[in-house]
Amino acid sequence: MKGIPSYTLLQEQFNNIVLGLKNKFIEAIRLDSEKAYEFGFKTAVADENAILRKDTANEKIEINWELVDQQAMDFATHSELITEDYFTGTQKEAQKVFAESFAEERSLPKVVESLRKVLNQQTWKLERLARTNIVNASNEGRLAGYEKVAAKKLQLYERGLIKKPKPERYTLIVAFGARTCDAHRELASRIPAGGLPLEKLKDLQRTIGAKHGLTLTGNSLLHTNQRTVIARVV
């Protein structure tokens, strides 16, 4: 029973390390996601600003980042859920290590080595999820920019400054490779060259995703190892 105090202390220290990492990851993922969202938004509106100024012969007409866009970004870039999964998942795996180590009377250096492997594995999983979260933030930002452009065009049309804008249509750019899943291959084959209205595109993703056990996150179907970009068809 001599090992109990040492194991307990080691467990407390390990949990403190994981909690500290969790908090750091929350902030890091949030900052990277915000940058991705804002970049997607500004990319979507940059060219349109120039076109609108040309069409209306008015240099003052421009689509800008506003408080409502900041609020939308804050909602789209939360990272607490995936970091909480990291924290609980790491704790669960660590509990197995402690239980097995105590039963087998492993030395503390061996326990530490097993915990290091758990930490590395769980952190690797989190990094993959974080990359997906950042890609999704960029997609949501780009879509927010597109929607703001569409709203501005409608306002200008109602004022008689431009011709009636055409309905917006969207597509998904699927990254093909050895790890491209069947769901995304099917998506790429079923989206028309001229794209789809956003709601129809989302419906198609839900239908195909359900066949393959995936759930629509935001406005583009994403999972780890898959990089799918939403884009407006022009």
Side-chain angles (χ1 to χ4, degrees), residues 107-188:
S107 65
L108 286 180
K110 289 185 177 180
V111 178
V112 170
E113 179 59 28
S114 297
L115 291 174
R116 184 178 291 112
K117 290 180 181 178
V118 167
L119 196 59
N120 289 340
Q121 177 70 12
Q122 293 297 317
T123 301
W124 175 72
K125 290 179 180 179
L126 177 63
E127 289 173 348
R128 295 168 69 216
L129 290 170
R131 286 196 295 269
T132 301
N133 198 69
I134 291 167
V135 171
N136 190 55
S138 178
N139 281 335
E140 293 298 317
R142 185 178 295 105
L143 184 62
Y146 290 151
E147 291 177 335
K148 197 159 187 177
V149 167
K152 174 64 74 172
K153 285 182 175 179
L154 183 59
Q155 292 175 5
L156 295 174
Y157 166 70
E158 291 173 346
R159 291 167 56 191
L161 295 176
I162 63 173
K163 295 179 181 178
K164 186 175 182 179
K166 296 179 180 179
E168 303 290 349
R169 300 176 75 86
Y170 301 88
T171 189
L172 291 178
I173 302 173
V174 177
F176 282 96
R179 292 188 289 185
T180 302
C181 69
D182 292 340
H184 283 88
R185 290 182 185 277
E186 184 175 351
L187 268 176

Coordinates of all heavy atoms in Angstrom, one line a residue, residues 107-188:
S107 N 6.3 0.8 -11.4 CA 7.1 1.8 -10.8 C 6.6 3.2 -11.3 O 6.0 3.3 -12.4 CB 8.6 1.7 -11.2 OG 8.8 1.8 -12.6
L108 N 6.9 4.2 -10.6 CA 6.4 5.6 -11.0 C 7.0 6.0 -12.3 O 6.2 6.6 -13.1 CB 6.8 6.6 -9.9 CG 5.9 6.5 -8.6 CD1 6.4 7.6 -7.6 CD2 4.4 6.7 -8.9
P109 N 8.2 5.8 -12.6 CA 8.7 6.1 -14.0 C 7.9 5.5 -15.1 O 7.7 6.1 -16.1 CB 10.2 5.7 -13.9 CG 10.6 5.7 -12.5 CD 9.3 5.3 -11.8
K110 N 7.5 4.2 -14.9 CA 6.7 3.5 -15.9 C 5.3 4.1 -16.0 O 4.8 4.3 -17.1 CB 6.6 2.0 -15.6 CG 7.9 1.3 -15.8 CD 7.8 -0.2 -15.7 CE 9.1 -0.9 -16.0 NZ 8.9 -2.4 -15.8
V111 N 4.8 4.5 -14.9 CA 3.4 5.2 -14.9 C 3.5 6.5 -15.6 O 2.7 6.8 -16.4 CB 2.9 5.4 -13.4 CG1 1.6 6.1 -13.5 CG2 2.8 4.1 -12.7
V112 N 4.6 7.3 -15.3 CA 4.8 8.6 -16.0 C 4.9 8.4 -17.5 O 4.3 9.2 -18.3 CB 6.0 9.3 -15.4 CG1 6.3 10.5 -16.2 CG2 5.7 9.7 -13.9
E113 N 5.6 7.4 -17.9 CA 5.8 7.1 -19.3 C 4.4 6.8 -20.0 O 4.1 7.3 -21.1 CB 6.8 6.0 -19.5 CG 7.0 5.6 -21.0 CD 7.5 6.8 -21.8 OE1 8.2 7.7 -21.2 OE2 7.3 6.8 -23.0
S114 N 3.6 6.0 -19.3 CA 2.3 5.7 -19.8 C 1.4 6.9 -19.9 O 0.6 7.1 -20.9 CB 1.6 4.6 -18.9 OG 2.3 3.4 -18.9
L115 N 1.5 7.8 -18.9 CA 0.7 9.0 -18.9 C 1.1 9.9 -20.0 O 0.3 10.6 -20.6 CB 0.8 9.7 -17.5 CG 0.1 9.0 -16.4 CD1 0.5 9.7 -15.1 CD2 -1.4 8.9 -16.6
R116 N 2.4 10.0 -20.3 CA 2.9 10.8 -21.4 C 2.4 10.3 -22.7 O 2.0 11.2 -23.6 CB 4.5 10.7 -21.4 CG 5.1 11.7 -22.5 CD 6.6 11.6 -22.4 NE 7.1 12.2 -21.2 CZ 7.8 11.6 -20.3 NH1 7.9 10.2 -20.4 NH2 8.2 12.2 -19.2
K117 N 2.3 9.0 -22.9 CA 1.7 8.5 -24.1 C 0.2 8.9 -24.2 O -0.3 9.3 -25.3 CB 1.8 7.0 -24.2 CG 3.3 6.5 -24.3 CD 3.3 5.0 -24.4 CE 4.8 4.5 -24.5 NZ 4.9 3.0 -24.5
V118 N -0.5 8.8 -23.1 CA -1.9 9.2 -23.1 C -2.0 10.7 -23.5 O -2.9 11.1 -24.4 CB -2.6 9.0 -21.7 CG1 -3.9 9.7 -21.6 CG2 -2.7 7.5 -21.5
L119 N -1.2 11.5 -22.9 CA -1.3 13.0 -23.2 C -1.0 13.3 -24.6 O -1.6 14.1 -25.3 CB -0.3 13.7 -22.3 CG -0.4 15.2 -22.1 CD1 -1.8 15.6 -21.6 CD2 0.6 15.8 -21.2
N120 N 0.0 12.6 -25.2 CA 0.4 12.8 -26.6 C -0.7 12.4 -27.5 O -1.0 13.1 -28.5 CB 1.7 12.1 -26.9 CG 2.9 12.7 -26.3 OD1 2.9 13.9 -25.9 ND2 4.0 11.9 -26.1
Q121 N -1.3 11.3 -27.2 CA -2.4 10.7 -28.1 C -3.6 11.6 -28.1 O -4.2 12.0 -29.1 CB -2.8 9.3 -27.6 CG -3.9 8.7 -28.4 CD -3.6 8.3 -29.8 OE1 -2.4 8.4 -30.2 NE2 -4.5 8.0 -30.7
Q122 N -4.0 12.1 -26.9 CA -5.2 12.9 -26.7 C -4.9 14.3 -27.3 O -5.8 14.9 -27.9 CB -5.6 13.1 -25.3 CG -6.1 11.8 -24.6 CD -7.3 11.2 -25.3 OE1 -8.3 12.0 -25.6 NE2 -7.4 9.9 -25.5
T123 N -3.7 14.8 -27.2 CA -3.4 16.1 -27.8 C -3.4 16.1 -29.3 O -3.9 17.0 -30.0 CB -2.0 16.6 -27.2 OG1 -2.1 16.7 -25.8 CG2 -1.7 18.0 -27.8
W124 N -2.9 15.0 -29.8 CA -3.0 14.8 -31.3 C -4.4 14.8 -31.8 O -4.7 15.4 -32.8 CB -2.3 13.4 -31.6 CG -2.3 13.1 -33.1 CD1 -1.7 13.7 -34.1 CD2 -3.2 12.1 -33.7 NE1 -2.0 13.1 -35.3 CE2 -2.9 12.1 -35.1 CE3 -4.1 11.1 -33.1 CZ2 -3.6 11.2 -35.9 CZ3 -4.7 10.2 -34.0 CH2 -4.4 10.3 -35.4
K125 N -5.3 14.1 -31.1 CA -6.7 14.1 -31.4 C -7.3 15.5 -31.4 O -8.0 15.9 -32.3 CB -7.5 13.2 -30.5 CG -7.2 11.7 -30.7 CD -8.1 10.9 -29.7 CE -7.8 9.4 -29.8 NZ -8.6 8.6 -28.8
L126 N -6.9 16.2 -30.4 CA -7.4 17.6 -30.2 C -6.9 18.5 -31.3 O -7.7 19.3 -31.9 CB -7.0 18.2 -28.9 CG -7.4 19.7 -28.6 CD1 -8.9 19.8 -28.6 CD2 -6.8 20.2 -27.3
E127 N -5.7 18.3 -31.7 CA -5.1 19.1 -32.8 C -5.9 18.9 -34.1 O -6.2 19.9 -34.9 CB -3.7 18.8 -33.0 CG -2.8 19.4 -31.9 CD -1.3 18.9 -32.0 OE1 -1.1 18.0 -32.8 OE2 -0.5 19.4 -31.2
R128 N -6.3 17.7 -34.4 CA -7.1 17.4 -35.6 C -8.4 18.0 -35.5 O -8.9 18.6 -36.5 CB -7.2 15.9 -35.8 CG -5.9 15.1 -36.0 CD -6.1 13.6 -35.9 NE -6.9 13.1 -36.9 CZ -7.7 12.1 -36.8 NH1 -7.9 11.6 -35.6 NH2 -8.4 11.6 -37.8
L129 N -9.1 18.0 -34.4 CA -10.4 18.6 -34.2 C -10.3 20.1 -34.3 O -11.1 20.8 -34.9 CB -11.0 18.2 -32.8 CG -11.4 16.8 -32.7 CD1 -11.8 16.5 -31.2 CD2 -12.6 16.4 -33.6
A130 N -9.2 20.7 -33.8 CA -9.0 22.1 -33.8 C -8.8 22.6 -35.2 O -9.4 23.6 -35.6 CB -7.8 22.5 -33.0
R131 N -8.1 21.8 -36.1 CA -7.9 22.2 -37.5 C -9.3 22.2 -38.2 O -9.6 23.2 -39.0 CB -7.0 21.2 -38.2 CG -5.5 21.4 -37.8 CD -4.6 20.7 -38.8 NE -4.8 19.3 -38.8 CZ -4.1 18.5 -38.0 NH1 -3.2 19.0 -37.2 NH2 -4.3 17.2 -38.0
T132 N -10.1 21.2 -37.9 CA -11.5 21.2 -38.5 C -12.3 22.4 -38.0 O -13.0 23.1 -38.8 CB -12.2 19.9 -38.1 OG1 -11.4 18.8 -38.6 CG2 -13.6 19.9 -38.7
N133 N -12.2 22.7 -36.7 CA -12.9 23.9 -36.2 C -12.5 25.2 -36.8 O -13.3 26.1 -37.1 CB -12.6 24.0 -34.7 CG -13.6 24.8 -33.9 OD1 -14.8 24.4 -33.8 ND2 -13.2 25.9 -33.4
I134 N -11.2 25.3 -37.1 CA -10.7 26.5 -37.8 C -11.1 26.6 -39.2 O -11.5 27.7 -39.7 CB -9.1 26.6 -37.7 CG1 -8.7 26.8 -36.2 CG2 -8.6 27.7 -38.5 CD1 -7.3 26.5 -35.9
V135 N -11.1 25.5 -39.9 CA -11.7 25.5 -41.3 C -13.1 25.9 -41.3 O -13.6 26.7 -42.1 CB -11.5 24.1 -42.0 CG1 -12.2 24.1 -43.3 CG2 -10.0 23.8 -42.2
N136 N -13.9 25.3 -40.3 CA -15.3 25.7 -40.2 C -15.5 27.1 -40.0 O -16.4 27.8 -40.5 CB -16.0 24.8 -39.1 CG -17.5 24.9 -39.2 OD1 -18.1 24.7 -40.2 ND2 -18.0 25.3 -38.0
A137 N -14.7 27.7 -39.1 CA -14.8 29.2 -38.8 C -14.5 30.0 -40.1 O -15.2 31.0 -40.3 CB -13.8 29.5 -37.7
S138 N -13.6 29.6 -40.9 CA -13.3 30.3 -42.1 C -14.5 30.2 -43.0 O -14.9 31.2 -43.7 CB -12.1 29.7 -42.8 OG -11.8 30.3 -44.0
N139 N -15.1 29.0 -43.1 CA -16.3 28.9 -44.0 C -17.5 29.7 -43.5 O -18.2 30.4 -44.3 CB -16.7 27.4 -44.0 CG -15.9 26.5 -44.9 OD1 -15.3 27.0 -45.8 ND2 -15.8 25.2 -44.6
E140 N -17.7 29.7 -42.2 CA -18.8 30.5 -41.6 C -18.5 32.0 -41.9 O -19.5 32.8 -42.1 CB -18.9 30.3 -40.1 CG -19.4 28.8 -39.8 CD -20.8 28.5 -40.4 OE1 -21.7 29.4 -40.3 OE2 -20.9 27.4 -41.0
G141 N -17.3 32.4 -41.7 CA -17.0 33.8 -42.0 C -17.2 34.2 -43.4 O -17.7 35.3 -43.8
R142 N -16.7 33.3 -44.3 CA -16.9 33.6 -45.8 C -18.4 33.7 -46.1 O -18.8 34.5 -46.9 CB -16.2 32.5 -46.6 CG -16.3 32.7 -48.1 CD -15.5 31.6 -48.8 NE -14.1 31.6 -48.5 CZ -13.5 30.8 -47.8 NH1 -14.2 29.8 -47.2 NH2 -12.2 30.8 -47.6
L143 N -19.2 32.7 -45.6 CA -20.6 32.7 -45.8 C -21.3 34.0 -45.3 O -22.1 34.6 -45.9 CB -21.3 31.5 -45.2 CG -22.8 31.3 -45.5 CD1 -23.0 31.2 -47.0 CD2 -23.3 30.1 -44.8
A144 N -20.9 34.4 -44.1 CA -21.4 35.7 -43.5 C -21.1 36.9 -44.4 O -21.9 37.7 -44.6 CB -20.8 35.9 -42.1
G145 N -19.9 36.9 -45.0 CA -19.6 37.9 -45.9 C -20.4 37.9 -47.2 O -20.9 38.9 -47.6
Y146 N -20.6 36.7 -47.7 CA -21.5 36.5 -48.9 C -22.9 37.0 -48.6 O -23.5 37.7 -49.4 CB -21.6 35.1 -49.3 CG -20.3 34.5 -49.9 CD1 -20.0 33.1 -49.8 CD2 -19.4 35.3 -50.6 CE1 -18.9 32.6 -50.3 CE2 -18.3 34.7 -51.1 CZ -18.0 33.4 -51.0 OH -16.9 32.8 -51.5
E147 N -23.4 36.7 -47.4 CA -24.8 37.1 -47.1 C -24.9 38.6 -46.9 O -25.9 39.2 -47.2 CB -25.3 36.3 -45.8 CG -25.4 34.8 -46.1 CD -25.8 34.0 -44.9 OE1 -25.5 34.5 -43.8 OE2 -26.4 32.9 -45.0
K148 N -23.9 39.2 -46.4 CA -23.9 40.6 -46.2 C -23.8 41.3 -47.5 O -24.5 42.4 -47.7 CB -22.7 41.0 -45.3 CG -22.9 42.4 -44.7 CD -22.0 42.7 -43.5 CE -22.4 44.0 -42.9 NZ -21.6 44.2 -41.6
V149 N -23.1 40.8 -48.5 CA -23.0 41.3 -49.8 C -24.4 41.2 -50.5 O -24.9 42.2 -51.1 CB -22.0 40.5 -50.7 CG1 -22.2 40.8 -52.1 CG2 -20.6 40.8 -50.2
A150 N -25.1 40.1 -50.3 CA -26.4 39.9 -50.9 C -27.4 40.9 -50.3 O -28.2 41.5 -51.1 CB -26.9 38.5 -50.7
A151 N -27.3 41.1 -49.0 CA -28.2 42.1 -48.4 C -28.0 43.5 -48.9 O -28.9 44.3 -49.1 CB -28.1 42.0 -46.8
K152 N -26.7 43.9 -49.0 CA -26.3 45.2 -49.5 C -26.8 45.4 -51.0 O -27.3 46.5 -51.3 CB -24.8 45.4 -49.4 CG -24.3 46.7 -50.1 CD -24.9 47.9 -49.4 CE -24.2 48.1 -48.0 NZ -24.6 49.4 -47.4
K153 N -26.7 44.3 -51.8 CA -27.1 44.4 -53.2 C -28.6 44.7 -53.2 O -29.1 45.4 -54.1 CB -26.7 43.2 -53.9 CG -25.3 43.1 -54.3 CD -25.0 41.8 -55.1 CE -23.6 41.7 -55.6 NZ -23.3 40.5 -56.3
L154 N -29.4 44.0 -52.4 CA -30.8 44.1 -52.3 C -31.2 45.6 -52.0 O -32.1 46.2 -52.6 CB -31.4 43.1 -51.4 CG -33.0 43.2 -51.3 CD1 -33.6 42.8 -52.6 CD2 -33.4 42.1 -50.2
Q155 N -30.5 46.1 -51.0 CA -30.7 47.5 -50.6 C -30.5 48.5 -51.8 O -31.3 49.4 -52.0 CB -29.8 47.9 -49.4 CG -30.2 47.2 -48.1 CD -29.2 47.5 -47.0 OE1 -28.3 48.3 -47.2 NE2 -29.3 46.9 -45.9
L156 N -29.4 48.3 -52.5 CA -29.0 49.1 -53.6 C -30.0 49.0 -54.7 O -30.4 50.0 -55.4 CB -27.6 48.8 -54.1 CG -26.5 49.1 -53.1 CD1 -25.1 48.6 -53.6 CD2 -26.4 50.6 -52.7
Y157 N -30.5 47.8 -54.9 CA -31.5 47.5 -56.0 C -32.8 48.3 -55.6 O -33.4 48.9 -56.5 CB -31.8 46.0 -56.1 CG -33.0 45.7 -56.9 CD1 -33.1 46.0 -58.3 CD2 -34.2 45.2 -56.3 CE1 -34.2 45.7 -59.0 CE2 -35.3 44.9 -57.0 CZ -35.4 45.2 -58.3 OH -36.5 44.9 -59.0
E158 N -33.2 48.2 -54.3 CA -34.5 48.8 -53.9 C -34.3 50.4 -54.0 O -35.4 51.1 -54.2 CB -34.8 48.4 -52.5 CG -35.2 47.0 -52.4 CD -35.4 46.5 -50.9 OE1 -34.9 47.3 -50.0 OE2 -36.0 45.4 -50.7
R159 N -33.1 50.9 -54.0 CA -32.9 52.3 -54.1 C -32.7 52.7 -55.6 O -32.5 53.9 -55.9 CB -31.7 52.7 -53.3 CG -31.9 52.7 -51.8 CD -30.6 52.8 -51.1 NE -29.9 54.1 -51.5 CZ -28.6 54.3 -51.1 NH1 -27.9 53.4 -50.4 NH2 -28.1 55.5 -51.5
G160 N -32.8 51.7 -56.5 CA -32.7 52.0 -57.9 C -31.2 52.2 -58.4 O -31.0 52.8 -59.5
L161 N -30.3 51.8 -57.6 CA -28.9 52.1 -58.0 C -28.2 51.0 -58.8 O -27.2 51.2 -59.5 CB -28.1 52.3 -56.7 CG -28.5 53.6 -55.9 CD1 -27.7 53.6 -54.6 CD2 -28.3 54.8 -56.7
I162 N -28.7 49.7 -58.7 CA -28.2 48.6 -59.5 C -29.3 47.8 -60.0 O -30.4 47.9 -59.6 CB -27.2 47.8 -58.6 CG1 -28.0 47.1 -57.5 CG2 -26.0 48.6 -58.1 CD1 -27.2 46.1 -56.7
K163 N -28.9 46.9 -61.0 CA -29.9 46.0 -61.5 C -30.3 44.9 -60.5 O -29.6 44.7 -59.5 CB -29.3 45.3 -62.7 CG -29.1 46.2 -63.9 CD -28.5 45.4 -65.1 CE -28.1 46.4 -66.2 NZ -27.5 45.6 -67.4
K164 N -31.4 44.3 -60.7 CA -31.9 43.3 -59.7 C -30.8 42.2 -59.6 O -30.5 41.5 -60.6 CB -33.2 42.7 -60.1 CG -33.8 41.7 -59.1 CD -35.2 41.2 -59.5 CE -35.8 40.3 -58.5 NZ -37.1 39.8 -58.8
P165 N -30.3 41.9 -58.4 CA -29.3 40.9 -58.3 C -29.8 39.4 -58.4 O -31.0 39.2 -58.1 CB -28.8 41.1 -56.8 CG -29.9 41.7 -56.1 CD -30.6 42.6 -57.1
K166 N -29.0 38.6 -59.0 CA -29.4 37.2 -59.2 C -29.4 36.5 -57.8 O -28.6 36.8 -56.9 CB -28.5 36.5 -60.1 CG -28.5 37.1 -61.6 CD -27.6 36.3 -62.5 CE -27.6 36.9 -63.9 NZ -26.6 36.2 -64.8
P167 N -30.2 35.4 -57.6 CA -30.2 34.7 -56.4 C -28.8 34.0 -56.2 O -28.2 33.5 -57.2 CB -31.2 33.6 -56.6 CG -32.1 34.2 -57.6 CD -31.3 35.0 -58.5
E168 N -28.3 34.1 -55.0 CA -27.0 33.5 -54.7 C -27.0 32.0 -54.7 O -27.9 31.3 -54.3 CB -26.5 34.0 -53.3 CG -26.4 35.5 -53.2 CD -25.3 36.1 -54.0 OE1 -24.4 35.3 -54.6 OE2 -25.3 37.3 -54.2
R169 N -26.0 31.4 -55.3 CA -25.8 29.9 -55.3 C -24.4 29.6 -54.8 O -23.5 30.3 -55.0 CB -26.0 29.4 -56.7 CG -27.4 29.8 -57.3 CD -27.5 29.3 -58.7 NE -27.7 27.9 -58.9 CZ -28.9 27.2 -58.8 NH1 -30.0 28.0 -58.5 NH2 -29.0 25.9 -58.9
Y170 N -24.4 28.4 -54.1 CA -23.1 28.0 -53.5 C -22.7 26.6 -53.8 O -23.5 25.8 -54.3 CB -23.3 28.1 -51.9 CG -23.7 29.5 -51.5 CD1 -25.0 29.9 -51.4 CD2 -22.7 30.4 -51.1 CE1 -25.4 31.2 -51.0 CE2 -23.1 31.7 -50.7 CZ -24.4 32.1 -50.6 OH -24.8 33.3 -50.2
T171 N -21.5 26.3 -53.6 CA -20.9 25.0 -53.9 C -20.0 24.6 -52.7 O -19.6 25.5 -51.9 CB -20.3 24.9 -55.2 OG1 -20.0 23.5 -55.5 CG2 -19.0 25.7 -55.3
L172 N -19.5 23.4 -52.7 CA -18.5 22.9 -51.8 C -17.3 22.5 -52.6 O -17.4 21.7 -53.5 CB -19.0 21.8 -50.9 CG -20.1 22.1 -49.9 CD1 -20.5 20.8 -49.2 CD2 -19.6 23.1 -48.9
I173 N -16.1 23.0 -52.2 CA -14.9 22.6 -52.8 C -14.3 21.5 -51.9 O -13.9 21.8 -50.8 CB -13.9 23.8 -52.9 CG1 -14.5 24.9 -53.8 CG2 -12.6 23.3 -53.6 CD1 -13.7 26.2 -53.8
V174 N -14.3 20.3 -52.4 CA -13.8 19.1 -51.7 C -12.4 18.8 -52.0 O -12.0 18.8 -53.2 CB -14.7 17.9 -52.0 CG1 -14.2 16.7 -51.2 CG2 -16.2 18.2 -51.6
A175 N -11.6 18.7 -50.9 CA -10.2 18.4 -51.1 C -10.1 16.8 -51.3 O -10.4 16.1 -50.4 CB -9.4 18.8 -49.9
F176 N -9.7 16.4 -52.5 CA -9.6 15.0 -52.8 C -8.2 14.5 -52.5 O -7.2 15.2 -52.7 CB -9.9 14.7 -54.3 CG -11.4 14.8 -54.6 CD1 -12.0 15.9 -55.1 CD2 -12.1 13.6 -54.4 CE1 -13.3 15.9 -55.4 CE2 -13.5 13.7 -54.7 CZ -14.1 14.8 -55.2
G177 N -8.2 13.3 -52.0 CA -6.9 12.6 -51.7 C -7.2 11.2 -51.2 O -8.3 10.7 -51.2
A178 N -6.1 10.6 -50.7 CA -6.3 9.2 -50.2 C -7.3 9.1 -49.1 O -7.9 8.0 -48.9 CB -4.9 8.7 -49.8
R179 N -7.4 10.1 -48.3 CA -8.3 10.0 -47.1 C -9.6 10.7 -47.3 O -10.4 10.9 -46.3 CB -7.6 10.6 -45.9 CG -6.4 9.8 -45.4 CD -5.8 10.3 -44.1 NE -5.1 11.5 -44.2 CZ -4.4 12.1 -43.2 NH1 -4.4 11.5 -42.1 NH2 -3.8 13.2 -43.4
T180 N -10.0 11.1 -48.5 CA -11.3 11.7 -48.8 C -12.3 10.6 -48.6 O -12.3 9.6 -49.2 CB -11.4 12.3 -50.2 OG1 -10.3 13.2 -50.4 CG2 -12.7 12.9 -50.5
C181 N -13.3 11.0 -47.8 CA -14.3 9.9 -47.4 C -15.4 9.8 -48.5 O -15.5 10.6 -49.4 CB -15.0 10.3 -46.1 SG -16.0 11.8 -46.1
D182 N -16.2 8.7 -48.4 CA -17.2 8.5 -49.3 C -18.3 9.5 -49.3 O -18.9 9.9 -50.4 CB -17.9 7.1 -49.0 CG -16.9 5.9 -49.3 OD1 -15.9 6.1 -50.0 OD2 -17.2 4.8 -48.7
A183 N -18.6 10.1 -48.2 CA -19.6 11.1 -48.1 C -19.2 12.4 -48.9 O -20.1 12.9 -49.6 CB -19.8 11.6 -46.6
H184 N -18.0 12.8 -48.8 CA -17.6 14.0 -49.5 C -17.4 13.7 -51.0 O -17.6 14.6 -51.9 CB -16.3 14.5 -48.9 CG -16.5 15.3 -47.7 ND1 -16.6 14.7 -46.4 CD2 -16.8 16.6 -47.4 CE1 -16.8 15.6 -45.5 NE2 -17.0 16.7 -46.1
R185 N -17.0 12.5 -51.4 CA -17.0 12.1 -52.8 C -18.4 12.2 -53.4 O -18.5 12.6 -54.5 CB -16.4 10.7 -52.9 CG -14.9 10.6 -52.6 CD -14.3 9.2 -52.8 NE -12.9 9.1 -52.4 CZ -11.9 9.5 -53.1 NH1 -12.1 10.0 -54.4 NH2 -10.7 9.4 -52.7
E186 N -19.3 11.7 -52.6 CA -20.7 11.7 -53.1 C -21.2 13.2 -53.2 O -21.9 13.5 -54.2 CB -21.6 10.9 -52.2 CG -23.1 10.8 -52.7 CD -24.0 9.9 -51.9 OE1 -23.4 9.2 -51.0 OE2 -25.2 10.0 -52.1
L187 N -20.9 14.0 -52.2 CA -21.3 15.4 -52.3 C -20.7 16.1 -53.5 O -21.4 16.8 -54.2 CB -20.7 16.1 -51.0 CG -21.6 16.2 -49.8 CD1 -20.9 16.9 -48.7 CD2 -22.9 17.0 -50.1
A188 N -19.4 15.9 -53.8 CA -18.8 16.5 -54.9 C -19.4 16.1 -56.2 O -19.5 16.9 -57.2 CB -17.3 16.2 -54.9

